[in-house]
Amino acid sequence: YCSVFISMLILLCVCVVIFLFFIYIIIYIISKFYFFFFFFLMIRRPPRSTLSSSSAASDVYKRQLQTQLADALAQAVHSFYGPDPEASPDYCRIVNSRSTQRILEMLNKTKGGPTTVVRTCSTGKAFDDSANYIAPTLVEGCTLQDAVMQEEIFGPVLPILPVDDISQAIQIINEGEKPLALYVFSNNNAFIEQVLEQTSSGAAIANDTLMHAAVDALPFGGVGNSGMGAYHGKHSFDLFTHHKAVMLKDLKMEAINSSVRYPPYTESKRSILKFVMAKSAGTVGGTLLRYTAIVAAVGALLYAFQSPLGDLGKCSLTYVADTATWAAAQL
């Protein structure tokens, strides 16, 4: 039996050595392949000076993207309302003449830059102020200083503001007033999560618009300038409900107040108050309370395992120990 055991042990060692050898070969091949692959990329990679695209090339690329987006939006408008939205029975009008003039004035004040294009998604009239009609309008290449980017539009005008990357877009959003709603469109979930986590708004929707207002379970409201509070369902009840604070104290507790809470504040009263109110680490009260909780946790555990109590009693003491440990961590 001894010789068989030794043989099996030797065989096991040989198998381990062979396994490690194959692992080493695989790692070696991967490392060599990665090196040649990286070397190949470095050879094909253009110089750094050519990678950092010039401002002119970047602007051309942005204009191309804007044109593609504007073309797709115009195509969607035509599919909804036809080539002339004014003739469509489904296309709405501005609520009144004052709002119509306000939107038209915003468009007139929008100067943008040399590449700014105001595109009307209609083969007919761009507007008819007598009928409170404004055709769907796209403003390509606008700037943050333009009138359409300074206030809420509440009309069929969509500014397109070019940015370098998502970080710049998030920065622009955060530097302005918090919007009533934020819409992000992407097939990349990480991209959507980044926008939602790094911005603040009354509501946020991915790959849709306005529909959050139709969901009764979701609170509808803004933040800051876009509104305060929220309504819909129970949220409306909570909004108009005052949560009254009520505290009932027995007059017999006045003895404690007289000895600690009320003036004159002697050094002994100050010490007691500091001990009771201590919540941060490093204070005398916080340290003592923390160690007291730790001792209580350890004592409860020891008594639970050594006492003749039943399972229910031991579970109860274990729960006390867990609670004391949590209390110690909070101090």
Side-chain angles (χ1 to χ4, degrees):
Y1 290 106
C2 183
S3 60
V4 173
F5 175 76
I6 294 176
S7 300
M8 294 294 294
L9 183 61
I10 294 175
L11 180 61
L12 178 62
C13 292
V14 171
C15 292
V16 170
V17 171
I18 294 175
F19 175 76
L20 293 177
F21 176 76
F22 276 108
I23 294 295
Y24 172 78
I25 293 297
I26 293 173
I27 295 175
Y28 178 80
I29 294 174
I30 293 176
S31 63
K32 289 298 182 181
F33 175 78
Y34 176 78
F35 172 78
F36 285 114
F37 180 72
F38 180 74
F39 181 73
F40 176 74
L41 289 180
M42 291 300 294
I43 293 177
R44 293 181 56 86
R45 184 178 181 180
R48 183 175 298 272
S49 58
T50 60
L51 277 178
S52 56
S53 59
S54 63
S55 176
S58 177
D59 292 340
V60 170
Y61 180 67
K62 291 178 184 177
R63 286 198 296 271
Q64 292 175 350
L65 290 180
Q66 289 180 78
T67 302
Q68 294 175 9
L69 175 60
D71 290 341
L73 291 172
Q75 183 178 358
V77 170
H78 292 165
S79 67
F80 289 164
Y81 308 110
D84 186 6
E86 186 179 14
S88 173
D90 300 319
Y91 189 74
C92 299
R93 300 298 187 264
I94 308 302
V95 63
N96 53 41
S97 177
R98 182 173 59 86
S99 298
T100 303
Q101 294 300 324
R102 182 184 62 83
I103 298 172
L104 292 176
E105 185 179 356
M106 292 172 61
L107 286 173
N108 292 331
K109 290 182 179 179
T110 296
K111 302 182 182 302
T115 60
T116 301
V117 177
V118 179
R119 178 191 297 199
T120 302
C121 303
S122 173
T123 57
K125 292 182 293 187
F127 65 91
D128 184 358
D129 51 356
S130 63
N132 295 331
Y133 165 77
I134 298 178
T137 305
L138 304 174
V139 183
E140 302 177 45
C142 66
T143 64
L144 291 174
Q145 289 70 37
D146 286 328
V148 291
M149 294 297 296
Q150 294 297 314
E151 57 181 296
E152 293 178 304
I153 299 175
F154 286 112
V157 178
L158 180 63
I160 301 178
L161 179 67
V163 295
D164 294 330
D165 51 29
I166 181 59
S167 299
Q168 185 182 6
I170 292 175
Q171 180 182 357
I172 292 174
I173 295 172
N174 292 334
E175 288 178 351
E177 297 294 344
K178 299 182 187 299
L180 179 62
L182 184 148
Y183 307 123
V184 52
F185 295 85
S186 176
N187 291 321
N188 189 332
N189 292 332
F191 180 92
I192 296 175
E193 289 294 331
Q194 181 181 0
V195 175
L196 299 184
E197 291 178 358
Q198 298 182 11
T199 59
S200 176
S201 58
I205 305 180
N207 300 321
D208 209 334
T209 62
L210 300 176
M211 292 308 297
H212 65 290
V215 182
D216 291 336
L218 291 178
F220 182 85
V223 181
N225 279 17
S226 60
M228 298 297 293
Y231 64 96
H232 273 182
K234 187 177 181 298
H235 303 286
S236 301
F237 177 82
D238 293 337
L239 178 64
F240 294 101
T241 300
H242 172 66
H243 299 275
K244 180 173 65 175
V246 178
M247 185 180 75
L248 303 177
K249 182 178 75 69
D250 197 313
L251 287 175
K252 296 178 182 179
M253 301 294 293
E254 279 299 307
I256 298 177
N257 288 334
S258 301
S259 59
V260 177
R261 178 180 167 188
Y262 299 144
Y265 296 112
T266 62
E267 289 299 324
S268 59
K269 288 185 178 181
R270 294 177 187 272
S271 300
I272 295 175
L273 288 174
K274 288 182 178 179
F275 175 81
V276 173
M277 298 175 64
K279 295 181 180 180
S280 59
T283 60
V284 176
T287 303
L288 290 177
L289 289 175
R290 188 189 308 107
Y291 285 127
T292 302
I294 294 174
V295 171
V298 175
L301 284 175
L302 291 176
Y303 186 77
F305 286 108
Q306 295 181 2
S307 65
L309 296 176
D311 293 337
L312 180 61
K314 292 183 179 181
C315 290
S316 300
L317 287 175
T318 304
Y319 177 77
V320 171
D322 291 339
T323 305
T325 304
W326 175 84
Q330 303 303 312
L331 296 173

